[in-house]
């Protein structure tokens, strides 16, 4: 059973608190997989906004977005009251 399948055993807030207190790889991987849809959605939007004469592989966009997602996970402050998706999106798209 992977981490995504175990998602029901802890709340999202508990996962963030666990990661910020222990910086465990398991918690980080769970948060990354749980929020990867931000990367996928952003990659599709960027890809579809490019002119037809400009081809960029969507996997390349996802790879760059993954770097931004990891950066967002590492720097996110749960106590600031900002939804993670709103915090992560500019980092995922490279702004």
């Amino acid at each position: 059973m992977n981490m995504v399948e175990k998602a029901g055993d802890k709340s999202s807030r508990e996962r963030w608190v666990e990661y910020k207190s222990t910086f465990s790889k398991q918690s980080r991987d769970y948060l990354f997989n749980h929020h990867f849809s931000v990367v996928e959605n952003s990659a599709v939007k960027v890809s579809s906004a490019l002119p037809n004469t400009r081809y960029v592989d969507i996997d390349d966009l996802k790879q760059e977005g993954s770097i931004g997602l990891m950066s967002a996970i590492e720097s996110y402050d749960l106590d600031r009251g900002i939804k993670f998706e709103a915090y992560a999106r500019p980092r995922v798209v490279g702004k």
Side-chain angles (χ1 to χ4, degrees), residues 75-94:
S75 63
Y76 180 64
D77 183 358
L78 183 63
D79 296 327
R80 294 192 70 190
I82 301 168
K83 286 185 71 173
F84 178 74
E85 291 79 3
Y87 178 81
R89 193 165 310 280
R91 287 152 186 82
V92 167
V93 297

Side-chain angles (χ1 to χ4, degrees), residues 1-10 15 26 29-31 33-34:
M1 187 181 302
N2 66 29
M3 290 302 298
V4 175
E5 292 170 345
K6 294 180 183 178
D9 63 349
K10 293 185 181 183
R15 290 285 183 179
Q26 185 178 20
D29 290 349
Y30 169 81
L31 292 169
N33 290 328
H34 185 72

Side-chain angles (χ1 to χ4, degrees), residues 2-94:
N2 66 29
M3 290 302 298
V4 175
E5 292 170 345
K6 294 180 183 178
D9 63 349
K10 293 185 181 183
S11 72
S12 180
R13 182 169 182 79
E14 288 173 320
R15 290 285 183 179
W16 279 108
V17 169
E18 178 183 324
Y19 175 67
K20 291 301 182 177
S21 65
T22 65
F23 294 99
S24 76
K25 182 180 181 323
Q26 185 178 20
S27 296
R28 185 195 64 210
D29 290 349
Y30 169 81
L31 292 169
F32 182 86
N33 290 328
H34 185 72
H35 294 289
F36 191 71
S37 62
V38 174
V39 173
E40 292 177 317
N41 292 339
S42 296
V44 168
K45 285 181 183 179
V46 168
S47 178
S48 65
L50 293 173
N52 290 335
T53 57
R54 179 115 192 227
Y55 176 76
V56 176
D57 188 50
I58 197 157
D59 288 335
D60 290 340
L61 294 172
K62 287 180 183 180
Q63 184 175 10
E64 287 296 317
S66 293
I67 294 168
L69 179 60
M70 192 58 68
S71 171
I73 288 171
E74 292 172 0
S75 63
Y76 180 64
D77 183 358
L78 183 63
D79 296 327
R80 294 192 70 190
I82 301 168
K83 286 185 71 173
F84 178 74
E85 291 79 3
Y87 178 81
R89 193 165 310 280
R91 287 152 186 82
V92 167
V93 297

